[in-house]
């Protein structure tokens, strides 16, 4: 029988369903892996990675709480990558959760039909459906398609289209990135500087900052505010691209063109313009000019997580193409209508051979920083002031280093009476503590890259890093801080305490 990996968050009722499903499948001869009984550390991370890669089926329990789990998100991402290679089938089970998925998870799971468990139903009904799907997938010699789960849920059917950012926004719950209509969003100086720059025609804005610091939240707000009245906007998230879209300059530009056409609901399609004799860069430029003429209004193009291109051999050609769009302003009035906002986390100088032929040395360059103590105080007020004085606020701010994601998670936890500040501080670096899911995900990613793990150990023990590229990657991941690799440190006390125990 096949080997099965069950991905879930350690909350109820997810844990009970995972336990019931594990017992059910094992009784029928299946080999099942769940992450229980493994000591957290490098061995745990290696076991998680090894068992996902060794499995034929990946069952993910999708509850509202699971959509906020960094660890579940990372497991889904790896499973999707393996599924694209034909090595893994993904079976999603929604646990009393019928809302739209956050954008990044939805990009992977929306094309798959889901089983829905409702609180009025027995777990065994779900187990039977899963068993039936596995049997049809692995025992049928004639049907080689991905399994279509037999479910009577009210979930809407999905096609293979990416969800539109204006509808879903990739932003999920408050403890992840911040929803567009959230009352908890903190507007910072970088927001105001970006908005002011976009008042000028043909603006180019480069946003740099580590992950989970708010770049995507800012870009989506720009997208939503611009895409009305007489202006249009397109939000392109490179993090959601499949490997097949990144294999070549052609596949990337064709994918971007298709997304632009679909997002703006245009009559023109990439195939109407593309000319193989003229090449990919020229074809895309012709397509973009045709888009500007059809839209006939200012257009903002937001490109998020552009770092993904840095690892591909065509990176210089791609960024040269982006730079060439800007140089077209003098050739046609239509090009003056195009503005760009590009978000990235790592230093492009390490990857791009000639920065003068890229967009990174022109326009307005802005850094997205951690929350200041004052901004943390604003956030505390929006949560109803669960921290009652400046001393408590400073204690939490020091613990998480002003990291916006962790501050929101901590304030939500305290405001919900799950922990007092003292209890949260005492258990912050524990594997099953309030930040355990977030910390374990970082550990898992590091253990998949021994060189990065070694560099983090250097920073932890010597406050320096031998390899500049490793330092930049750790900086982009939001794990370390410092002006250069010779004066580096862990980003916050929480990370220092956790990684000191586990690496």
């Amino acid at each position: 029988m096949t080997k099965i990996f069950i991905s879930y968050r350690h909350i109820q009722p997810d844990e009970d369903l995972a336990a019931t499903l594990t017992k059910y499948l094992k009784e029928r001869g299946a080999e099942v892996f769940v992450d229980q009984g493994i000591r957290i550390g490098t061995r745990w991370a290696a076991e998680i990675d090894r068992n996902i890669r060794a499995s034929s089926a990946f069952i993910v329990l999708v509850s509202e709480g699971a959509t906020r789990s960094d660890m579940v998100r990372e497991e889904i991402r790896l499973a999707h990558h393996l599924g694209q290679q034909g090595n893994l089938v993904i079976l999603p089970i929604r646990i009393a959760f019928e809302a739209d998925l956050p954008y990044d998870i939805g990009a992977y799971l929306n094309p798959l039909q889901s089983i829905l468990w409702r609180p009025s139903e027995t777990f065994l009904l779900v187990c039977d459906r899963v068993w039936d799907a596995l049997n049809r997938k692995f025992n049928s010699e004639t049907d080689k398609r991905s399994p279509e789960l037999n479910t009577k849920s009210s979930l809407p059917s999905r096609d293979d289209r990416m969800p539109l950012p204006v509808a879903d926004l990739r932003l999920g719950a408050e403890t992840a990135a911040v929803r567009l209509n959230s009352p908890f969003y903190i507007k910072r100086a970088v927001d105001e500087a970006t908005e002011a720059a976009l008042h000028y025609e043909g603006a180019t804005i480069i946003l740099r900052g580590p992950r989970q610091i708010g770049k995507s939240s800012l870009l989506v707000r720009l997208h939503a505010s611009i895409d009305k009245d007489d202006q249009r906007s397109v939000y392109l998230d490179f993090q959601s691209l499949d490997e097949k879209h990144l294999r070549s300059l052609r596949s990337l530009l064709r994918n971007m063109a298709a997304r632009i056409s679909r997002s703006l609901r245009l009559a023109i399609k990439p195939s109407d313009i593309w000319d193989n004799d003229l090449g990919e860069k020229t074809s895309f430029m012709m397509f973009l000019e045709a888009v500007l003429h059809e839209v006939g209004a200012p257009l903002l193009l937001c490109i998020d997580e552009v770092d993904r291109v840095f690892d591909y051999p065509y990176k210089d050609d791609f960024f040269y193409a982006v730079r060439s769009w800007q140089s077209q302003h003098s050739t046609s009035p239509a090009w003056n209508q195009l503005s760009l906002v590009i978000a990235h986390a790592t230093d492009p100088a390490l990857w791009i051979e000639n920065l003068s032929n890229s967009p990174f040395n022109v326009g307005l360059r802005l850094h997205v920083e951690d929350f200041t103590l004052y901004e943390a105080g604003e956030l505390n007020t929006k949560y109803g002031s669960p921290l009652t004085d400046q001393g408590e606020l400073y204690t939490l701010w020091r613990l998480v280093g002003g990291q916006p994601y962790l501050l929101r998670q901590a304030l939500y936890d305290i405001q919900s009476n799950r922990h007092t500040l003292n209890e949260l501080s005492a258990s912050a670096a524990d594997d099953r503590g309030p930040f355990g899911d977030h910390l374990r995900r970082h550990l898992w990613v590091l253990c998949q890259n021994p060189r990065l793990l070694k560099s983090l150990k250097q920073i932890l023990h010597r406050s320096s890093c031998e390899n500049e590229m490793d330092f930049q990657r750790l900086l982009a991941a939001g794990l370390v801080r410092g002006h250069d690799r010779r004066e580096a440190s862990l980003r916050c006390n929480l990370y220092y305490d956790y990684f000191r125990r586990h690496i």
Side-chain angles (χ1 to χ4, degrees), residues 92 94 97-101 106 109-116 118 149 151-161 163 167-168:
R94 287 194 179 226
F97 183 63
E98 300 185 63
D100 286 344
L101 294 173
L109 299 185
N110 280 343
L112 306 175
Q113 192 173 359
S114 300
I115 289 174
L116 173 65
R118 294 186 176 92
L149 302 184
T151 172
K152 297 180 180 180
S153 79
S154 60
L155 296 177
S157 61
R158 299 278 186 171
D159 57 20
D160 61 354
R161 294 177 296 175
D168 186 87

Side-chain angles (χ1 to χ4, degrees), residues 95-296:
I95 304 180
F97 183 63
E98 300 185 63
D100 286 344
L101 294 173
Y103 183 76
D104 52 344
I105 299 177
Y108 300 138
L109 299 185
N110 280 343
L112 306 175
Q113 192 173 359
S114 300
I115 289 174
L116 173 65
W117 174 81
R118 294 186 176 92
S120 60
E121 297 176 336
T122 174
F123 285 159
L124 291 178
L125 181 61
V126 171
C127 294
D128 287 340
R129 290 174 178 170
V130 170
W131 184 246
D132 178 65
L134 291 174
N135 277 324
R136 284 189 286 114
K137 170 62 180 176
F138 296 108
N139 293 338
S140 172
E141 294 298 326
T142 58
D143 188 359
K144 299 300 183 182
R145 298 171 299 174
S146 297
E148 295 182 2
L149 302 184
N150 180 21
T151 172
K152 297 180 180 180
S153 79
S154 60
L155 296 177
S157 61
R158 299 278 186 171
D159 57 20
D160 61 354
R161 294 177 296 175
M162 295 296 297
L164 292 176
V166 69
D168 186 87
L169 303 177
R170 206 192 98 179
L171 298 182
E174 300 300 339
T175 48
V178 186
R179 292 190 308 246
L180 181 63
N181 61 350
S182 171
F184 302 102
Y185 186 75
I186 300 297
K187 194 170 184 177
R188 293 176 272 182
V190 67
D191 295 65
E192 297 176 355
T194 306
E195 291 170 2
L198 288 176
H199 288 149
Y200 297 93
E201 282 189 345
T204 297
I205 303 165
I206 309 296
L207 295 176
R208 181 181 174 186
R211 294 181 177 89
Q212 292 188 321
I213 202 168
K215 300 190 304 296
S216 295
S217 299
L218 173 53
L219 258 64
V220 168
R221 276 165 173 73
L222 290 173
H223 165 71
S225 64
I226 291 293
D227 198 23
K228 58 185 180 181
D229 300 328
D230 295 327
Q231 303 182 76
R232 303 300 303 275
S233 175
V234 176
Y235 173 73
L236 301 177
D237 178 16
F238 278 21
Q239 192 63 38
S240 67
L241 293 177
D242 292 334
E243 288 299 322
K244 65 181 180 180
H245 300 137
L246 291 163
R247 286 176 187 156
S248 66
L249 181 63
R250 173 184 173 81
S251 59
L252 175 58
L253 292 178
R254 285 297 295 257
N255 179 268
M256 290 176 63
R259 291 183 177 212
I260 290 170
S261 177
R262 178 167 291 163
S263 179
L264 295 173
R265 295 176 172 85
L266 300 177
I268 190 171
K269 306 300 178 187
S271 57
D272 299 333
I273 299 293
W274 226 263
D275 188 328
N276 292 332
D277 292 333
L278 295 177
E280 313 311 327
K281 290 182 288 187
T282 301
S283 292
F284 186 87
M285 185 182 297
M286 293 168 57
F287 170 79
L288 199 52
E289 183 168 9
V291 168
L292 292 170
H293 282 293
E294 181 173 338
V295 170

Side-chain angles (χ1 to χ4, degrees), residues 328-344:
Q328 296 299 311
H329 289 172
S330 60
T331 66
S332 169
W335 284 99
N336 293 324
Q337 304 276 44
L338 178 67
S339 294
L340 296 172
V341 180
I342 300 172
H344 67 108

Side-chain angles (χ1 to χ4, degrees), residues 317-466:
D317 277 341
F318 173 75
F319 289 111
Y320 178 80
V322 177
R323 176 64 182 268
S324 68
W325 308 340
Q326 301 161 312
S327 64
Q328 296 299 311
H329 289 172
S330 60
T331 66
S332 169
W335 284 99
N336 293 324
Q337 304 276 44
L338 178 67
S339 294
L340 296 172
V341 180
I342 300 172
H344 67 108
T346 53
D347 186 354
L350 295 176
W351 282 268
I352 299 175
E353 185 173 344
N354 189 350
L355 282 180
S356 63
N357 287 333
S358 80
F360 294 105
N361 69 334
V362 296
L364 179 64
R365 285 169 284 178
L366 300 172
H367 281 259
V368 186
E369 307 282 357
D370 280 332
F371 282 169
T372 64
L373 184 61
Y374 175 79
E375 289 164 343
E378 282 191 283
L379 187 63
N380 181 53
T381 300
K382 289 179 179 290
Y383 272 94
S385 299
L387 304 180
T388 58
D389 59 51
Q390 195 73 2
E392 288 187 339
L393 179 65
Y394 183 73
T395 297
L396 179 60
W397 183 73
R398 286 280 296 169
L399 174 67
V400 299
Q403 211 264 43
Y405 172 84
L406 295 177
L407 273 173
R408 288 192 177 92
Q409 186 172 345
L411 289 171
Y412 176 82
D413 198 74
I414 296 170
Q415 192 270 344
S416 301
N417 296 318
R418 298 180 181 181
H419 298 92
T420 65
L421 176 61
N422 288 337
E423 291 170 343
L424 183 141
S425 298
S427 62
D430 292 348
D431 298 321
R432 303 301 180 191
F435 304 115
D437 181 87
H438 171 84
L439 296 168
R440 292 195 306 274
R441 181 260 177 187
H442 274 304
L443 180 62
W444 181 33
V445 172
L446 283 168
C447 289
Q448 294 178 73
N449 191 323
R451 199 181 81 181
L452 275 185
L453 184 63
K454 178 183 176 181
S455 292
L456 188 72
K457 288 180 181 178
Q458 291 175 356
I459 295 172
L460 180 66
H461 298 296
R462 300 185 346 216
S463 298
S464 65
C465 181
E466 293 178 358

